[in-house]
Amino acid sequence: MDFASTVTGFAEPTIEYRPDQRWWLAEGLHTDATLRTEIAAMHRLGFGGIEFLAMDEEGVDHARYGWGAEEWVHDSQVVVEEATRRGMAVSFTSGTNWANANLPTITPESPAAAKELNVTVEEVAGGATRTGALRRVDLAAFSPSVLGHRGAVSEQTFVAVVAARVLGTTELGNVLDVDSVVDLTADVVDETLDWTAPEGDWRLYAHWMHGTGQTASPSARVNYTVNYLDRDGVDAVIDYWEHEVLTPQLRAQIAANPRAQMYMDSMELTAYGEGGMFWGRTVAEEFRARRGYDITPWLPFLTRRVAMMASQTIYRNEPDAAHAGAVEKVRFDYVATLTDLYIENMLRPFAAFLHHHGMTLRAEISYGLPFELTRPGPEVDGIETESLEFGAQIDAYRLMAGPAHLFGKQYSSETGATTRNYMLDHRFYDQIIATQLAAGITRTVLHGWASPAGARETTRWPGHEGMWPEFSERFDTRQPGAEFYPWWTTALARCQFLLRQGRPRIDVGILRTDHFTDNVSGMRFVDDDGTRVADEVAYGTWWMRNRQNHWWADLGMQDAGWTYEFFDGSLLLRDDVRFADGVVQPDGPGYQALIVYQDALDADVARRLLGWARVGLRVLLVDGSRELVELQTRRYRTHGAAAARTHGLDGRDDELTATIAELVALPSVARVGDPADTVAALRRLGVTGRAEFVEDNRSVLTHLREDGDLLHLYAYHFLYDTGEPVDMDVTLPGSGLVHRLDAWSGTTRPHAGVRVGRADAAGDRTVVTLRLHPGETALLTLDRSADAAASEPAELEWVADLPTWDVTVESWDAGPDETITEDRGLGYVSEEVRPTTTVTVIELGPTTLRPWHALPGVGGEVSGIAEYTATVRIDDAQPGQTFVLDLRRARFGTHQRRHTGGRRHVASGRPHHRAARGGEHRHRARGQLAQQTAPGAWVLRHPARRPGQLRGLGGAAHAADARPRPWPPRPGAAGPGTYLSGRRRLRLAVGSARGARARGGRATRAGRRRRWRRLRPTP
């Protein structure tokens, strides 16, 4: 795409670039009128797609309204029809609610139902003989799981029995003598065994397969989770959708919608028994075929306990020290086999079925289960992550960026879920989005939307919750800030448009294999003494915002401005991955180098690295790296020598050692003993970051896209709660004209602060000067088809203060409920209630700009919208000048920009610092609409949260000694951006007492005056 087309597409992004919504329906209770009203509202507020699912609604007849009932099928048809009519994307879930694929047509005993391998244990003394029936599993006794309810399970099938001599005890079981293990399965007749134990203390492990019995609701019948490992599971899902769901009418709507998808959310599968092993009728056979040995003698070492997610796995039995390495390899082979079966027996056939019907497959692959995290990536059309489980941590989003970028998959996120509903301000979510954009996530699905209308028994003001009162946020019409969503969603659409153009340019790929990724690092926060820490504190000040990344701990590459991401090395073996032009996957991320740091590496992957290194691939082996295992228990793993052994029990360790010896002897390969030496070693190999910082910077993340002659750079100051403004220089390959793109106004202008820097081996480099304030984002495009134009950064000049504001508050409170009924001629009438909101206007008159709770006549119990008005007169204003209002320390909710009567209006965002260089705008506000309604008059319209939320201005927002609480960015999704004309050379900003002191001005502790300042025109 050329630059002119980019500018056009950026200014008016089409609907596919807009953020989506997850919509929690009150089962099939909603009336057709409600469904159409909600979809119209989503469309009006700027959302581009709907992912809808059924949620339990108390007081509702599930047989009539649950998933699979006629009412649900009818409502699904209405949703798809209305979304398609408006050009919106639509996504189904693969069963009721979100947690997994589930069906009402199976029972736990069906081959298509999820299976587990359970175990019973007998103690047998040395020399003693046991006879008779093996102990069966008590199917009525099971451990509850937070991941799903368990229905009745009635059948179990004998699989194997193994005996082992006990050497000691573990937390959950025993230390076993591996050499003593004996497989007694062949001696079992009709589930009976006669066996005499040799000398010592023995345990007899009898293994039984049975259905997990995991259910899902709401449903017109009982839905059971399907089998993800045997082909029976996906075949049952396909059969149900083919014959029950995809009616002729629905097929027609899907055919008319080019963005119809199936969405598979986090795989919340559980095994309830003591064995804790996911299983299926083909698992043992497939294990032998793929790994070359029998799994049976190793089963006692595979049984486990897991509280919720795979990262919390604790094995019940451990081996003697001499065999610890062998058992670790067997455990790898088991989970690698599970991953194979998940790919081949679920994802691949399901995607093929969906493609046949004009749909694509988007999925949160692997995490939560003992499946390799990135290997399934090529099998789906869209790879999704989520903020609930990974917080706002860049390393967490790098985890799956590798397969997304290697194979050109849409990388998306379910964003907004927390445990603090209605309590967090808008910047909290904007900063998550800003972090995700830096990792290459370019599709945001807000979590989420619920209609205010719901069942009478459970619906209270401000409305039906959908995803329960404690989970997620509601980005819907109940929010006072919803009136500003069209500007917010358009700004985010512009970011997503630009960052989908061309191909990603990632400097370094890191080989990382993990079947037990910790995916609860963003869910609950406690300090060392177990005290609960608020989400906003942890997100804003912990881990990556405190110099700690989870998986690649050394921050040297990040500080240098280099980008990197992770993927399993086996992906390099695919035919559609290549090394050419000195990079891996030149039409994708174009990794300049690969890093190997884990102590295990597949022997075939090592051979692939060797082959590519012989023709120029740069490879760095890093010894002594440390990475996260489980955050909640503070468990980490430190690797010794990189690539010292293979993963599995394949007998190829010596082969790997020989391959690595050849590899490190090549001139394009290096090895270091300390991760801190990574950058220096890569530089010696010839690596230069494509968007490298002239000097290291600890506050900024970038993401780069290349589209022909165009380079699109996204920059983000991620220390939004703890950082200081930064001035920095970023180098880009090539020379040309640099443009600044404003996501909030859609305008583009030449960037001021550009010079052509030193040439390197690849040619000229352009140096761009940026000034970023905490939480701020920037979008730049280097057009290398245009002649280069150097420019100097601009300087700010203070010109005026705004000490007094007129304030009007709209107080929102509960109004009367509306009753909505629907009679579809089926012999009953559906009823829902919709709470309404009563608005009371409070006129406060002139006041200082102060915290919401400190406003006289308002206080902390009021929520709604406030309007702040101030007037400034600037006698020497000249045509073409632009003035910027800076509310540096104000803390508001959402805000946007508008035009009225042909004038430009400035919307300010949360304490957000706009850079003041090269025609950039300086902006430090937080969530209100600043509207210039007359020459020199500014109106700030600000939404506060509902009662019980953080609302209004922060208590320390104006204190001269308070740390700024910056908020998103500009011009990103992360916050308000430039609302002023890009053609103007002068900028005006309002500073704070802190800013005045920096200029030698006098300021008091209570000095809450806002100062205007102007940028001196550049030459």
Side-chain angles (χ1 to χ4, degrees):
M1 184 181 294
D2 61 21
F3 184 66
S5 300
T6 300
V7 169
T8 300
F10 179 80
E12 297 294 338
T14 49
I15 195 167
E16 65 265 29
Y17 298 105
R18 292 184 171 273
D20 293 20
Q21 280 276 12
R22 164 169 289 192
W23 185 9
W24 305 294
L25 274 66
E27 305 188 25
L29 177 68
H30 291 313
T31 65
D32 292 4
T34 293
L35 295 173
R36 297 185 191 280
T37 295
E38 297 301 322
I39 295 172
M42 288 187 223
H43 187 265
R44 173 176 54 84
L45 296 179
F47 297 101
I50 301 167
E51 166 190 304
F52 70 100
L53 54 88
M55 290 295 295
D56 267 313
E57 187 78 350
E58 294 181 24
V60 166
D61 182 352
H62 302 311
R64 176 175 294 172
Y65 296 106
W67 193 88
E70 189 279 339
E71 284 281 1
W72 174 257
V73 173
H74 171 80
D75 283 5
S76 298
Q77 174 71 30
V78 172
V79 168
V80 176
E81 177 185 305
E82 188 68 14
T84 301
R85 186 177 72 82
R86 295 178 179 274
M88 302 174 76
V90 65
S91 296
F92 303 88
T93 55
S94 53
T96 189
N97 70 51
W98 71 93
N100 50 58
N102 51 77
L103 293 171
T105 53
I106 60 176
T107 69
E109 285 64 54
S110 303
K115 298 292 187 288
E116 63 180 290
L117 190 65
N118 211 337
V119 65
T120 61
V121 183
E122 294 182 35
E123 298 181 6
V124 184
T129 299
R130 64 92 56 218
T131 60
L134 292 169
R135 184 180 299 169
R136 305 188 99 216
V137 173
D138 181 359
L139 295 175
F142 61 91
S143 300
S145 171
V146 298
L147 296 183
H149 298 289
R150 182 180 186 266
V153 179
S154 59
E155 297 178 9
Q156 55 188 299
T157 302
F158 172 71
V159 174
V161 60
V162 176
R165 186 164 61 88
V166 175
L167 300 178
T169 60
T170 67
E171 177 184 352
L172 300 176
N174 296 284
V175 178
L176 303 178
D177 179 356
V178 173
D179 287 336
S180 73
V181 173
V182 55
D183 179 3
L184 302 172
T185 306
D187 298 331
V188 176
V189 178
D190 295 331
E191 298 184 4
T192 66
L193 173 67
D194 297 338
W195 177 69
T196 301
E199 182 180 350
D201 182 17
W202 290 77
R203 296 293 182 272
L204 194 70
Y205 300 94
H207 299 272
W208 306 82
M209 181 180 74
H210 58 78
T212 66
Q214 184 175 357
T215 65
S217 62
S219 178
R221 292 177 281 172
V222 179
N223 278 30
Y224 286 97
T225 302
V226 305
N227 190 326
Y228 277 62
L229 303 178
D230 295 328
R231 180 62 190 256
D232 309 86
V234 74
D235 286 346
V237 173
I238 290 171
D239 181 75
Y240 184 82
W241 279 79
E242 187 79 75
H243 297 100
E244 301 292 334
V245 179
L246 296 177
T247 63
Q249 297 84 354
L250 190 54
R251 291 172 193 259
Q253 290 299 322
I254 290 171
N257 192 320
R259 295 191 294 140
Q261 284 192 323
M262 180 69 67
Y263 173 58
M264 302 184 82
D265 201 324
S266 50
M267 293 186 295
E268 297 178 14
L269 310 182
T270 192
Y272 296 88
E274 292 295 302
M277 295 176 62
F278 293 108
W279 202 252
R281 61 180 178 81
T282 64
V283 170
E285 176 185 347
E286 292 288 351
F287 184 95
R288 180 187 290 276
R290 297 164 191 268
R291 309 304 159 203
Y293 63 96
D294 186 8
I295 196 175
T296 302
W298 304 96
L299 289 176
F301 302 102
L302 301 177
T303 58
R304 65 177 187 141
R305 184 186 73 183
V306 56
M308 184 169 65
M309 300 298 183
S311 61
Q312 299 166 321
T313 291
I314 300 176
Y315 289 103
R316 295 189 178 277
N317 301 303
E318 294 293 344
D320 56 275
H323 293 88
V327 168
E328 184 174 359
K329 286 172 173 284
V330 172
R331 288 169 175 169
F332 176 90
D333 285 343
Y334 166 64
V335 292
T337 302
L338 296 186
T339 307
D340 292 345
L341 299 179
Y342 166 55
I343 289 171
E344 298 170 20
N345 290 340
M346 173 55 75
L347 293 180
R348 195 171 291 166
F350 198 29
F353 163 75
L354 295 170
H355 295 166
H356 177 73
H357 289 283
M359 292 187 284
T360 56
L361 177 60
R362 176 168 53 99
E364 294 178 11
I365 52 175
S366 295
Y367 63 81
L369 293 183
F371 299 163
E372 207 292 313
L373 182 63
T374 61
R375 277 210 292 133
E379 310 299 333
V380 299
D381 302 292
I383 296 174
E384 184 139 305
T385 182
E386 61 180 307
S387 66
L388 174 65
E389 303 198 6
F390 294 113
Q393 300 299 310
I394 186 66
D395 235 26
Y397 298 121
R398 290 170 176 147
L399 289 175
M400 292 190 290
H405 293 146
L406 274 170
F407 302 104
K409 306 297 183 179
Q410 176 70 67
Y411 192 21
S412 60
S413 173
E414 204 83 23
T415 299
T418 71
T419 58
R420 289 165 63 78
N421 190 18
Y422 297 132
M423 298 180 70
L424 300 169
D425 59 24
H426 207 276
R427 73 157 185 170
F428 175 84
Y429 302 103
D430 286 331
Q431 294 296 338
I432 298 173
I433 295 171
T435 303
Q436 293 175 337
L437 289 170
I441 293 170
T442 57
R443 181 179 181 182
T444 301
V445 183
L446 275 303
H447 191 286
W449 184 285
S451 171
R456 182 176 297 278
E457 291 84 351
T458 57
T459 301
R460 303 289 182 271
W461 186 81
H464 161 71
E465 294 290 353
M467 185 66 180
W468 313 313
E470 63 179 343
F471 261 105
S472 188
E473 185 54 277
R474 304 298 178 274
F475 299 95
D476 56 40
T477 54
R478 77 191 66 199
Q479 296 286 3
E483 68 174 89
F484 307 123
Y485 283 2
W487 291 277
W488 176 53
T489 54
T490 301
L492 179 50
R494 291 180 178 126
C495 291
Q496 296 187 154
F497 165 82
L498 196 70
L499 296 180
R500 290 186 201 173
Q501 303 310 306
R503 56 188 179 177
R505 298 280 82 185
I506 309 298
D507 295 315
V508 177
I510 302 179
L511 275 58
R512 180 177 184 276
T513 300
D514 191 355
H515 295 79
F516 299 93
T517 301
D518 185 359
N519 63 309
V520 294
S521 56
M523 292 183 67
R524 182 171 173 80
F525 309 103
V526 295
D527 59 21
D528 290 338
D529 65 4
T531 303
R532 178 78 160 89
V533 176
D535 294 35
E536 60 271 26
V537 173
Y539 274 59
T541 63
W542 285 12
W543 302 315
M544 71 170 274
R545 293 174 174 87
N546 190 31
R547 304 292 295 167
Q548 298 174 33
N549 276 352
H550 290 330
W551 288 278
W552 180 256
D554 180 69
L555 296 171
M557 288 192 291
Q558 180 174 296
D559 292 346
W562 296 9
T563 53
Y564 53 94
E565 58 195 20
F566 306 99
F567 60 91
D568 181 75
S570 67
L571 296 177
L572 299 176
L573 303 177
R574 292 175 54 96
D575 293 338
D576 49 357
V577 177
R578 63 192 182 98
F579 175 74
D581 304 323
V583 298
V584 176
Q585 208 70 329
D587 296 327
Y591 304 128
Q592 301 180 65
L594 298 179
I595 289 176
V596 177
Y597 76 97
Q598 292 180 317
D599 55 16
L601 183 68
D602 183 88
D604 291 330
V605 173
R607 297 299 301 177
R608 175 56 54 89
L609 294 177
L610 177 62
W612 285 353
R614 284 171 173 161
V615 292
L617 172 67
R618 303 175 183 98
V619 179
L620 180 65
L621 287 85
V622 181
D623 301 334
S625 291
R626 178 177 182 263
E627 65 177 328
L628 176 69
V629 175
E630 187 192 6
L631 189 61
Q632 189 173 12
T633 56
R634 311 294 201 268
R635 286 193 295 139
Y636 293 82
R637 176 170 183 168
T638 299
H639 297 276
R645 60 179 179 85
T646 62
H647 294 287
L649 196 64
D650 52 11
R652 301 179 70 184
D653 285 355
D654 291 342
E655 176 189 343
L656 174 66
T657 299
T659 301
I660 295 300
E662 289 187 68
L663 183 68
V664 297
L666 297 175
S668 64
V669 179
R671 184 167 209 145
V672 296
D674 187 340
D677 297 330
T678 296
V679 171
L682 288 172
R683 288 193 194 282
R684 289 192 294 270
L685 293 176
V687 176
T688 299
R690 294 185 178 96
E692 185 170 306
F693 303 155
V694 172
E695 296 181 357
D696 282 4
N697 188 286
R698 295 184 168 197
S699 306
V700 175
L701 298 170
T702 62
H703 185 75
L704 188 68
R705 303 281 298 194
E706 183 177 36
D707 187 10
D709 288 326
L710 304 181
L711 286 176
H712 304 301
L713 177 69
Y714 169 83
Y716 166 49
H717 188 323
F718 62 86
L719 297 180
Y720 63 93
D721 254 1
T722 61
E724 298 293 338
V726 297
D727 295 290
M728 61 185 302
D729 291 333
V730 183
T731 65
L732 297 173
S735 62
L737 189 60
V738 180
H739 302 268
R740 183 69 173 260
L741 294 86
D742 186 333
W744 288 88
S745 66
T747 58
T748 304
R749 67 181 188 278
H751 178 76
V754 179
R755 66 183 187 276
V756 177
R758 59 177 173 77
D760 60 16
D764 291 340
R765 293 187 72 87
T766 297
V767 182
V768 178
T769 299
L770 282 175
R771 181 170 176 81
L772 293 172
H773 289 259
E776 184 177 2
T777 66
L779 291 173
L780 300 169
T781 294
L782 171 61
D783 182 0
R784 295 175 292 186
S785 70
D787 293 336
S791 61
E792 293 296 324
E795 297 181 6
L796 287 172
E797 176 186 357
W798 294 98
V799 295
D801 296 331
L802 285 177
T804 305
W805 297 76
D806 287 327
V807 180
T808 301
V809 173
E810 296 175 3
S811 175
W812 288 28
D813 292 291
D817 289 345
E818 294 178 349
T819 299
I820 306 169
T821 60
E822 178 181 67
D823 186 348
R824 296 179 48 234
L826 301 177
Y828 58 87
V829 175
S830 297
E831 178 187 277
E832 53 184 347
V833 297
R834 177 188 292 270
T836 65
T837 297
T838 297
V839 176
T840 303
V841 176
I842 305 172
E843 299 280 358
L844 299 180
T847 183
T848 55
L849 192 61
R850 64 179 68 186
W852 179 282
H853 67 79
L855 291 174
V858 180
E861 295 306 312
V862 172
S863 62
I865 300 287
E867 192 167 86
Y868 297 72
T869 306
T871 302
V872 61
R873 181 178 181 83
I874 303 173
D875 293 328
D876 61 346
Q878 300 297 319
Q881 290 180 339
T882 299
F883 302 98
V884 176
L885 176 64
D886 185 336
L887 296 171
R888 176 176 185 175
R889 299 185 179 184
R891 294 178 60 84
F892 297 93
T894 310
H895 71 276
Q896 321 296 337
R897 181 187 72 84
R898 319 191 147 159
H899 292 273
T900 299
R903 289 190 173 276
R904 285 283 178 181
H905 303 269
V906 176
S908 41
R910 306 180 175 131
H912 152 66
H913 306 282
R914 302 288 305 284
R917 291 184 177 272
E920 301 173 39
H921 306 296
R922 189 166 188 79
H923 173 82
R924 293 172 187 160
R926 212 193 139 189
Q928 63 278 24
L929 177 65
Q931 181 180 1
Q932 187 176 359
T933 56
W938 298 87
V939 179
L940 311 178
R941 192 160 169 79
H942 142 339
R945 315 295 284 181
R946 301 211 171 272
Q949 298 176 277
L950 301 177
R951 57 172 77 76
L953 298 171
H958 308 298
D961 60 349
R963 179 175 292 277
R965 310 282 294 182
W967 179 67
R970 102 51 3 184
T978 301
Y979 305 86
L980 307 180
S981 169
R983 298 188 298 271
R984 312 200 178 176
R985 305 295 295 274
L986 298 182
R987 301 293 182 265
L988 191 78
V990 178
S992 65
R994 184 167 174 265
R997 183 182 295 117
R999 294 179 50 84
R1002 184 173 181 273
T1004 65
R1005 178 180 177 84
R1008 298 184 177 119
R1009 304 172 68 192
R1010 295 299 183 260
R1011 290 172 168 76
W1012 292 88
R1013 51 187 175 176
R1014 176 171 53 202
L1015 293 179
R1016 296 191 183 95
T1018 54

